[in-house]
Amino acid sequence: MIQTTKTLDWDKYLKTAAQVVSEGIVMLKNEHQALPLKPHEEIALFGRIQFHYYKSGTGSGGMVNVSKVTNIVDGLQESGIKLNQELLDVYHKWDNENPFDLGDGWGKEPWSQKEMPLEDSLAARAAKRCQTAIAVIGRTAGEEQDNSLTEGSFLLSSDEKQMLTTIRRHFSKMIVLLNVGNIIDMNELLEIAPDAILYVWQGGMTGGTGTADVLTGKISPCGKLTDTIAKHVEDYPSAPYFGDPVRNFYSEDIYVGYRYFETFAPDKVLYPFGFGLSYTTFQIKTNDIMELSDKWDFIITVTNTGSCSGKEVVQIYCEAPQGKLGKPVRVLCGYEKTNTLSPGESQTVTISVSKTQTASYDDSGISGHAHCFILEEGDYHFYVGTDVRHAVKTYTCTQNGTLVISSHQQALAPVEAFERIKPVLSTDGYEPQMEPVPLSEVDETKRRLENLPKEIPFTGDRGIRLCDVRKGTHTMEEFIAQMTDYDLACVIRGEGMNSPRVTAGTASAFGGVSQELEALGVPCGCCDDGPSGMRLDCGTKAFSLPNGTMMACTFNRTLLTELFALTGLEMIANKVDCLLGPGMNIHRHPLNGRNFEYFSEDPYLTGTIASAQLHGLHQSGVTGTIKHFCGNNQETNRHDTNGVISERALREIYLKGFEIAVKEGHADSVMTTYGPINGVWTAGSFDLTTQILRNDWGFTGFTMTDWWANINRRGQAVDKSDFAAMAIAQNDVYMVCAIGAENDDNILASLENGTLQRSELQRNAANICRFLMNTQAMARLEGTETKIDIINRPADESDVDESSVKFYELDGNLTINLEDICTDKGTNHSFGLDIKTMGKYRMTLTASSTQSEVAQIPVTLFSLGTAYGTFTWNGTNGLPVSFETDIPLFSKYTNLRLFFAQGGLKMHSITFELISTEL
Ligand code: BGC
């Protein structure tokens, strides 16, 4: 038995994450030397978000329980900055009187908070002591709800505007920090004219530290925009379609973000893709370019020409000839970040640009090479610089004749007619002209039959266990041959959320979800959210990472690999095998609610950043799940709205990042989306999860649906129990069933009536087992798992010990006595429900207090990690007082948690009463 021990140094984890924050911050403006802050000046800090730093967005991409979030106040004070005390006191008082609103349940959190109306006299007094003011504006966003073009979402609220204009009137230097997940409107802000504006994004639990390091000049800003900031939301080419609850035409086609703006509308850009200021300046010099058969190598020297240390990101863009297909005038095809360069110091970097990255997909056959990635003949111009707009033409290379990079079969193409844009040259540059989109000519039934795997004859149990396949003493075929139809039906059922088979509070168990599968030696793998750290719904604390956009803005792959190697160790310590991230959908429109989890409007950047994260996880012996495959570009009606997208846009934009993550990042786990693409829900899309993912890209891992996803067949209505459609598509695991060993789906019936082949299930079972065989879950079964020694992690009394979480059966009515629980300030009480009858329940929470009548003692109830209400008791003279709320309980195993923000309460009981079985 070989067991290794690895060390996770929490201190190093914090420092690496803070470095990511510092490197991900994008400084858009810095006039009158507003930044960096001077060492001994007193700073006037405004905005309630100074205390409530948004560490991430909401939903599965943000629900990490943390011991401490370093907010902006902490960050600045810890780095020695003196803050104006009167302001701090006033904000504290107001914040206590106007508690932070957690909202009311999943997808119903407010995307911003009420801001304190700023009194002119207060600002005036602060301005007497301080020259410089910093204002913090905060936004969150997340699942089930997009951002909107309203105040407090994409736009500033009136209180925020009032605060900012008051500050502007009084201070000679004004800095605005945008603690947001996603870009917001810049017009009003630019009118107020702060001296400095920084997107500080949502930096996880060390956000304040990383931000302070930039503000104080310890680290020079070096983050770059991963999206174009246009003047108006309506300027984004997807604007007419985004948010459609029924059908979303992708008429802008491949012209997403800067591909659109640089080609058709350069004047509509406020800040170009790739842009970000520094405290220093750099000179970029291309020394040499070497053309090889499959790539170009650019040898570039970067010199720090300014007066302080810093890093720079060199970016290379390609302008391919318009040819017959039409092309954007710029496509990012390579980038590299330098090390920290001292003033005068130079570094030479070699950036390889693969020819694949400059290729276009012909989805119509107009080039004579239908369904191929090609380089059309003509001149390829390369631009080198530090953002898309200012990159300068450095090299031109001529392609004689068409070069075919790869040939494919048509897949996932639209079935309904629509038009897309294509550039035509006019006197003032390119104009968009509409052309019809090629439609699908694929016979999907035939394609499935042509791909049918060979059935492995059933042998019954021959005593072969999965570990024998791993050892190489038996083949996977021999192992799978032993599985009964029932085993095959169970192995494709993920179980959750909160399955007692795996770590408490996680999203799913998969693999060995029945006694019989366990007997065959199939381990239960544990999947857990998400892209910004582990979500442990029973309240266990974990490390919260910066959000996806911020990580991508670093343009620093090495740093992200280092960070995710640490996350990998933390996962092993928590027996989590498969992180449900990175999220890598394309920022098609700035109002998408989940943009914060995702990286960029550009697929190359997206794919390479995801690969860097995966490399880190893989180094530590765990993995990530790339999601949501593909086209999850809005939250409004995300379960049903149909993305109508050309095959070219899919292959070049919406699939491209995933392709890179599979080929370069060696992704071995993929999650499909909730919604349909071109009429078929991705949970059951053969073209997506077999033809493209496996046949074209050579993926050998396993795939899963999103949680409780819809499934359909072409032309048919949604039927969530049609697991056969999913299995046929080679989407391997349905996430999630309440109980894996007994589920009401159509697998066995479909085998019986011949609409599903045993061989298809065997193929899927092999995918799952091949994956599991090499996980820590397998090692745990064999007692060879890696042990993690966590050092330098501060003790946290309020952390929940997941092994102590007690489960209660709930079948209509239940009262749990809470008389003995600890209710000290900052503690959590966690328990689980094993729900026999799912539905909407009335929850009654009863407590008493002997504190004063005006005491405020808030208790927040979390269900599956989401707040379902904060109930505030006053003193009750010791008599029991109850609060009620209705709460949906639809997941068989549900973790509930009570969080006590103040002490002084005696809990009595919590009661559940079924009010409706309709959810
Ligand atoms: C999200 C996924 C997530 C899953 C499990 C879904 O709501 O879309 O991204 O991984 O829940 O929590």
Side-chain angles (χ1 to χ4, degrees), residues 34-38 41-51 72-73 75-77 79 81-84 87-88 91 115 118 126-127 130-137 163-164 167-168 170-179 189 194-198 200 208 211-217 279:
L35 284 170
L37 303 175
K38 314 287 165 292
E41 65 174 329
E42 180 176 316
I43 302 295
L45 184 57
F46 294 91
R48 75 174 314 179
I49 298 301
Q50 59 182 287
F51 305 124
I72 302 287
V73 174
L76 286 171
Q77 287 183 333
S79 52
I81 295 291
K82 182 170 168 29
L83 298 176
N84 180 271
L87 278 178
L88 274 180
Y91 270 104
E115 185 51 86
L118 178 59
C130 315
Q131 259 205 337
T132 305
I134 300 180
V136 192
I137 300 290
M163 168 179 82
L164 294 173
I167 297 170
R168 183 66 292 182
H170 290 283
F171 289 85
S172 60
K173 286 186 187 163
M174 172 182 182
I175 299 156
V176 174
L177 306 181
L178 300 171
N179 172 209
L189 194 54
D195 302 282
I197 303 175
L198 294 90
V200 302
T211 306
D213 285 347
V214 166
L215 298 177
T216 57
Y279 296 146

Side-chain angles (χ1 to χ4, degrees), residues 289-473:
I289 296 142
M290 290 184 298
E291 182 172 355
L292 303 156
S293 61
D294 58 342
K295 62 170 185 170
W296 297 271
D297 278 347
F298 286 72
I299 297 143
I300 296 167
T301 300
V302 184
T303 306
N304 183 343
T305 51
S307 53
C308 68
S309 299
K311 294 186 177 187
E312 182 55 290
V313 179
V314 184
Q315 304 161 35
I316 304 182
Y317 297 88
C318 175
E319 179 182 9
Q322 284 298 313
K324 294 196 167 107
L325 297 177
K327 313 274 163 52
V329 300
R330 297 286 184 281
V331 168
L332 179 72
C333 55
Y335 66 92
E336 198 57 73
K337 191 168 207 170
T338 64
N339 302 327
T340 303
L341 301 177
S342 316
E345 197 185 350
S346 299
Q347 184 187 348
T348 299
V349 294
T350 300
I351 303 180
S352 291
V353 174
S354 148
K355 290 199 172 164
T356 312
Q357 194 39 40
T358 62
S360 306
Y361 188 79
D362 180 359
D363 61 357
S364 68
I366 191 175
S367 72
H369 301 276
H371 313 301
C372 293
F373 271 104
I374 56 170
L375 265 67
E376 289 197 90
E377 72 174 329
D379 287 346
Y380 286 72
H381 305 292
F382 291 91
Y383 297 77
V384 176
T386 56
D387 68 63
V388 68
R389 182 62 58 83
H390 300 101
V392 258
K393 197 190 282 185
T394 309
Y395 177 61
T396 299
C397 132
T398 308
Q399 170 65 40
N400 297 313
T402 307
L403 176 68
V404 176
I405 298 281
S406 57
S407 313
H408 307 270
Q409 291 175 21
Q410 189 185 40
L412 211 62
V415 293
E416 81 187 278
F418 73 110
E419 292 191 321
R420 64 178 171 194
I421 59 175
K422 183 180 181 177
V424 226
L425 200 53
S426 75
T427 41
D428 311 328
Y430 289 103
E431 274 178 10
Q433 203 178 59
M434 302 310 281
E435 67 167 13
V437 174
L439 298 182
S440 174
E441 290 170 1
V442 172
D443 178 339
E444 288 160 320
T445 316
K446 191 163 156 246
R447 177 168 276 172
R448 171 203 169 201
L449 294 175
E450 282 169 2
N451 277 273
L452 266 189
K454 244 179 95 198
E455 184 170 332
I456 309 167
F458 176 64
T459 58
D461 188 354
R462 291 173 56 215
I464 304 166
R465 299 295 168 256
L466 190 55
C467 60
D468 300 323
V469 183
R470 196 171 51 76
K471 281 183 221 138
T473 55

Side-chain angles (χ1 to χ4, degrees), residues 60 143 529 535 594 627-628 638 671 674 706-707:
S60 59
E143 285 182 54
D529 286 311
R535 161 188 176 190
R594 285 184 96 171
K627 69 185 189 183
H628 305 86
R638 65 173 169 162
M671 184 195 298
Y674 276 129
D706 202 339
W707 267 236

